[in-house]
Amino acid sequence: MVRICLAVAVAALLLAAPSGGRAEGDAWAALTMLEGHWREVKGTAVNDEVWMNNAGNVIVGMGRTVNGLTNSFEFLRIENRKEGIVYIAQPNGGAPTVFRLLSHDATTVTFGNPQHDWPGRITYRRTGTETLEATASVFDSKGRVETTRWTRAR
């Protein structure tokens, strides 16, 4: 009887353990906090970031900063791949850089790539129902740090 109970318990644990498949569930659900159009205005610079919803296995985003005649843009996406969730950035349409999901909770997601010089880590945090904050830093967080504080654009 003890062997049967032990076998059932082990089988239940194996079925409940992550299978190495797509990282759905809590982590993917946490990314709904990004959805929408976000804006930060600093002096004459207007910084916008827009994210689609997390339907399917890809979230598409884009960022743009306009400051007079100086402009920059970034193509963004978050993919729910077999090996896990990744954030992919293409500043000014350049080569893509991949950041792996490091941690998440209901209000914060952090992605990192220790081989990338700047940034090595990207953290998004919902600070309120109408506010979103992004912090870019070097991977070890002992150097350069830049934070963008957006409010929902209407």
Side-chain angles (χ1 to χ4, degrees):
M1 183 66 164
V2 171
R3 286 185 181 167
I4 293 173
C5 290
L6 182 59
V8 170
V10 168
L13 286 172
L14 290 173
L15 289 173
S19 64
R22 297 197 186 274
E24 296 179 28
D26 292 344
W28 194 247
L31 294 167
T32 61
M33 73 172 148
L34 298 176
E35 184 178 340
H37 181 176
W38 304 95
R39 175 170 288 154
E40 177 187 63
V41 178
K42 279 188 172 178
T44 59
V46 178
N47 179 337
D48 287 298
E49 194 159 296
V50 178
W51 288 96
M52 295 177 75
N53 64 30
N54 68 344
N57 286 315
V58 66
I59 304 169
V60 176
M62 70 103 196
R64 178 182 69 179
T65 300
V66 176
N67 190 2
L69 296 177
T70 304
N71 303 295
S72 63
F73 67 94
E74 186 168 24
F75 298 127
L76 304 164
R77 68 186 184 273
I78 299 172
E79 295 180 359
N80 192 6
R81 296 179 175 176
K82 183 178 180 182
E83 64 273 13
I85 296 173
V86 295
Y87 177 101
I88 303 162
Q90 290 182 261
N92 295 310
T97 301
V98 177
F99 300 83
R100 300 208 172 281
L101 180 69
L102 300 177
S103 64
H104 75 281
D105 61 29
T107 61
T108 307
V109 291
T110 299
F111 300 91
N113 179 337
Q115 285 77 41
H116 194 249
D117 58 349
W118 175 256
R121 186 184 309 265
I122 300 165
T123 299
Y124 284 91
R125 185 169 64 96
R126 277 301 285 273
T127 55
T129 58
E130 299 295 308
T131 54
L132 177 68
E133 179 178 281
T135 301
S137 62
V138 292
F139 193 78
D140 64 7
S141 296
K142 294 180 182 176
R144 180 176 168 196
V145 175
E146 291 182 12
T147 300
T148 304
R149 291 176 179 87
W150 290 292
T151 56
R152 191 175 297 280
R154 299 283 174 209

